């Protein structure tokens, strides 16, 4: 009956007396699992009625030699944001020496979501790399109950998938601390923080880092949440200057925000860095080409993509999920 709850891989693991990861490896016939454990898992499958071809590869069916790059953002945002494209390039480069190909799997709308799940259920890919895991949590919950390896490029609040999925992300708190400390060293006191969306874990962590490093120079009234793009940076800066003309420093949570900030400051007749210091975040190509060239926090996005590919290949081979946290660095240019 449709009303009866289907058995999941977690049920199989519980009945077999093994971890969920071990049950998943056993169902994928991994050499890392003993024959005795595989038999216990098979017995648990029979007892629970788990359907092995739901959300994962069936036993010993081989590989598709493809990894899905799951995109849960609108495509116009995905292709306009250099962060996503740099991570994607890293994934592609990370798989270049293998026989495995990355494929984009769009899952923004409800219809795309259902289509993506059907695609995964048919075992059309060997693993999934979620490039924006803080969006589309219901998709991750569906993937949790399958046997398919999953890698998250980024964080999910509370880290609910620790030990279930692999993940790789940069330390946003530490990166923001570098920016805030540099602003304090410059002697700036009326410092605005123009951050990304409030529901984005990276933006939340960056605010924590800014606040920690600024200390008594942190002013909540000069902190705004906005989009990551240039237009959001421009409008936010313009509105802040109307409220507080004495702003002498701006911490922008992305280089695109910072580019808009530079435009707004120029329109207002303020010089950078003479009147106002500006620090961005990401170190995209536009940071070096800005006027003046932008001091920014370098995020290792290409390395993140390469490591995501490596983690996915490791999990396909039966290795345990891992979490890798990457370091940031401050790139000094002329805007401070």
């Amino acid at each position: 009956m449709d009303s009866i709850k289907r058995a999941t891989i977690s049920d199989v693991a519980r009945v077999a007396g093994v971890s969920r990861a071990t049950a998943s490896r056993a169902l994928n016939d991994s050499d890392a699992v003993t024959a005795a454990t595989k038999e216990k898992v098979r017995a648990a499958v029979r007892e629970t009625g788990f359907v092995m071809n739901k959300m994962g590869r069936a036993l010993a069916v081989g590989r598709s030699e493809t990894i899905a790059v799951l995109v849960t953002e609108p495509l116009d945002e995905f292709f306009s944001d250099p962060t996503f494209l740099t991570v994607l390039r890293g994934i592609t480069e990370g798989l270049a020496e293998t026989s495995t190909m990355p494929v984009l799997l769009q899952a923004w709308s409800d219809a795309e979501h259902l289509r993506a799940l059907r695609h995964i259920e048919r075992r059309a890919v060997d693993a999934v790399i979620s490039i924006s895991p803080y969006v589309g949590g219901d998709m991750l919950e569906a993937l949790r109950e399958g046997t398919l390896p999953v890698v998250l490029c980024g964080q999910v609040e509370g880290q609910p998938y620790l030990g279930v999925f692999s993940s790789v992300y940069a330390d946003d708190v530490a990166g923001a601390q570098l920016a805030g400390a540099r602003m304090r060293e410059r002697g700036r006191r009326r410092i605005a923080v123009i951050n990304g969306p409030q529901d984005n874990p990276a933006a939340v962590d960056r605010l924590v880092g800014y606040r920690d490093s600024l200390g008594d120079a942190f002013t909540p009234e000069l902190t705004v949440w906005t989009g990551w793009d240039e237009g959001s940076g421009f409008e936010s800066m313009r509105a802040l200057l109307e409220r507080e003309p004495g702003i002498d420093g701006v911490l922008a949570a992305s280089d695109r925000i910072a580019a808009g900030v530079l435009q707004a400051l120029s329109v207002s007749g303020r010089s950078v860095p003479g009147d106002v210091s500006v620090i961005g975040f990401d170190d995209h190509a536009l940071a070096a080409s800005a006027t003046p060239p932008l001091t920014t926090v370098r995020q290792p996005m290409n390395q993140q993509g390469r490591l995501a590919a490596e983690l996915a290949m490791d999990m396909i081979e039966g290795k345990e999920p891992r979490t890798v946290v990457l370091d940031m660095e401050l790139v000094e240019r002329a805007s401070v």
Side-chain angles (χ1 to χ4, degrees):
M1 294 176 61
D2 291 339
S3 61
I4 297 176
K5 183 180 182 295
R6 292 183 177 182
T8 68
I9 187 66
S10 299
D11 297 324
V12 172
R14 176 178 49 78
V15 171
V18 299
S19 70
R20 183 190 174 285
T22 297
S24 177
R25 289 196 296 271
L27 289 174
N28 285 296
D29 203 26
S30 168
D31 292 338
V33 181
T34 66
T37 299
K38 288 178 183 177
E39 182 51 42
K40 283 201 302 183
V41 172
R42 291 189 188 105
V45 167
R46 292 190 292 270
E47 180 177 337
T48 61
F50 177 65
V51 180
M52 289 187 292
N53 68 349
K54 183 180 184 293
M55 300 297 295
R57 292 180 295 155
L59 205 55
V61 297
R63 296 177 182 167
S64 68
E65 296 192 318
T66 58
I67 290 176
V69 179
L70 187 64
V71 179
T72 51
E73 300 271 4
L75 279 183
D76 56 351
E77 173 65 18
F78 178 81
F79 285 111
S80 66
D81 189 338
T83 299
F84 291 136
L85 298 182
T86 306
V87 173
L88 180 59
R89 184 170 67 246
I91 293 170
T92 301
E93 291 171 357
L95 295 174
E97 301 296 321
T98 76
S99 59
T100 298
M101 295 282 291
V103 294
L104 282 181
L105 193 58
Q106 173 71 3
W108 166 245
S109 68
D110 290 342
E112 289 167 345
H113 177 107
L114 292 173
R115 183 180 63 188
L117 281 178
R118 286 197 298 268
H119 191 75
I120 292 169
E121 287 172 356
R122 290 197 299 269
R123 306 183 311 277
V125 297
D126 297 322
V128 174
I129 297 174
S130 178
I131 206 165
S132 52
Y134 42 84
V135 179
D138 49 350
M139 174 70 83
L140 296 184
E141 282 301 302
L143 290 171
R144 181 202 284 271
E145 297 304 335
T147 62
L148 205 64
V150 177
V151 180
L152 309 181
C153 282
Q155 299 185 70
V156 177
E157 186 177 1
Q159 296 192 327
Y161 305 108
L162 190 66
V164 179
F165 302 154
S166 285
S167 62
V168 54
Y169 57 90
D171 190 337
D172 287 291
V173 174
Q177 287 172 338
L178 293 173
R182 182 68 186 92
M183 195 67 77
R184 287 296 300 267
E185 290 169 4
R186 180 66 171 80
R188 301 305 191 180
R189 298 296 300 173
R190 298 296 292 168
I191 302 168
V193 174
I194 303 182
N195 208 347
Q198 196 166 4
D199 61 354
N200 187 298
V204 172
D205 281 354
R206 289 172 196 180
L207 181 60
V208 170
Y210 291 142
R211 187 177 58 232
D212 289 349
S213 58
L214 290 178
D216 59 7
F218 177 76
T219 306
E221 304 84 61
L222 298 181
T223 299
V224 297
W225 303 92
T226 188
W228 296 113
D229 59 288
E230 190 170 328
S232 295
F234 180 89
E235 291 300 330
S236 296
M237 189 71 251
R238 185 182 57 78
L240 282 167
L241 288 172
E242 289 179 359
R243 289 181 6 224
E244 177 52 75
I247 288 171
D248 60 5
V250 181
L251 293 168
S254 78
D255 289 339
R256 291 194 294 160
I257 290 174
V261 167
L262 292 176
Q263 289 182 20
L265 290 171
S266 177
V267 169
S268 73
R270 290 166 172 83
S271 67
V272 177
D275 298 322
V276 184
S277 294
V278 179
I279 300 179
F281 209 108
D282 291 327
D283 196 29
H284 291 310
L286 65 88
S289 62
T291 303
L294 188 65
T295 293
T296 188
V297 178
R298 176 175 291 158
Q299 187 175 189
M301 294 163 287
N302 185 273
Q303 183 186 6
Q304 184 184 32
R306 285 176 172 269
L307 281 169
E310 178 183 323
L311 291 168
M313 295 300 291
D314 283 349
M315 291 182 73
I316 289 170
E317 295 299 327
K319 294 183 180 179
E320 293 280 357
R322 289 193 293 138
T323 295
V324 179
V325 183
L326 302 174
D327 293 330
M328 305 271 200
E329 65 175 302
L330 187 69
V331 180
E332 295 270 8
R333 294 196 177 95
S335 63
V336 176

